[in-house]
Amino acid sequence: MQIYWEDKGKLNSEQLSLLNQVAIGVNEFCDFPGNSEVSISIMDMEEIQVLNRDYRGKNTPTDVLSFPVDENLAMGPEVSLGDIVICIDVAQRQAEEYGHSIERELAFLVVHGMLHLHGYAHETTEDEAEMMAAQDEILMKHGLHRE
């Protein structure tokens, strides 16, 4: 799996390594065959608010956005899953609110975004329960338990 990062120096090498591991863990959990690629961008509140407004019609910052690639597109030797955008400011605030590390929060957001790229949703109670169970299993496999 190829992960393209755009973080503008907001993450250190240990954080990037952990987040790469959990992203790969999602592909393994989803039993996704072959080569794939994903782009993950770390933004501030102003940048993500513009995307949230333009793509979701919500003029507020959010923690994570996922933009899956149309599965019918021919992508060559690597299958592009899509793009994930994470707001570092919201992640930091949520980590403090939930009483866990920024690394655990960022890992959760990467897992959440990756699961969306793999078709998971949380529109119904059943879908939400399935997605939450998948998130918990993947995070626990990487030693990132809820605190």
Side-chain angles (χ1 to χ4, degrees):
M1 175 175 195
Q2 182 66 46
I3 303 169
Y4 299 100
W5 285 96
E6 176 64 39
D7 72 324
K8 299 178 185 162
K10 293 178 172 85
L11 303 178
N12 64 44
S13 61
E14 292 167 356
Q15 290 168 325
L16 287 170
S17 177
L18 171 66
L19 300 179
N20 282 330
Q21 290 173 28
V22 297
I24 292 166
V26 175
N27 267 11
E28 291 169 355
F29 176 85
C30 293
D31 198 26
F32 191 77
N35 296 328
S36 63
E37 62 183 33
V38 64
S39 173
I40 303 176
S41 299
I42 306 296
M43 297 185 167
D44 61 29
M45 284 201 305
E46 293 79 21
E47 293 170 306
I48 206 164
Q49 182 170 343
V50 169
L51 292 175
N52 202 24
R53 180 196 66 214
D54 292 353
Y55 289 95
R56 295 181 63 228
K58 298 182 179 188
N59 194 20
T60 59
T62 190
D63 54 0
V64 62
L65 295 170
S66 299
F67 300 97
V69 169
D70 182 340
E71 64 189 43
N72 296 318
L73 294 176
M75 302 307 290
E78 299 244 340
V79 175
S80 178
L81 298 173
D83 302 311
I84 298 170
V85 180
I86 295 171
C87 181
I88 190 71
D89 303 314
V90 175
Q92 183 64 52
R93 185 187 76 228
Q94 290 176 171
E96 291 169 10
E97 287 174 6
Y98 298 133
H100 55 238
S101 69
I102 184 65
E103 288 79 14
R104 197 274 183 202
E105 186 64 20
L106 289 169
F108 168 79
L109 296 174
V110 167
V111 169
H112 187 87
M114 286 289 296
L115 286 173
H116 277 306
L117 297 184
H118 280 285
Y120 281 75
H122 42 81
E123 301 302 317
T124 68
T125 305
E126 295 81 16
D127 288 345
E128 183 177 22
E130 181 181 357
M131 188 168 185
M132 288 178 66
Q135 289 169 164
D136 288 345
E137 183 176 331
I138 294 163
L139 290 169
M140 289 180 72
K141 182 176 182 183
H142 290 88
L144 298 165
H145 308 279
R146 284 193 177 170
E147 316 238 346

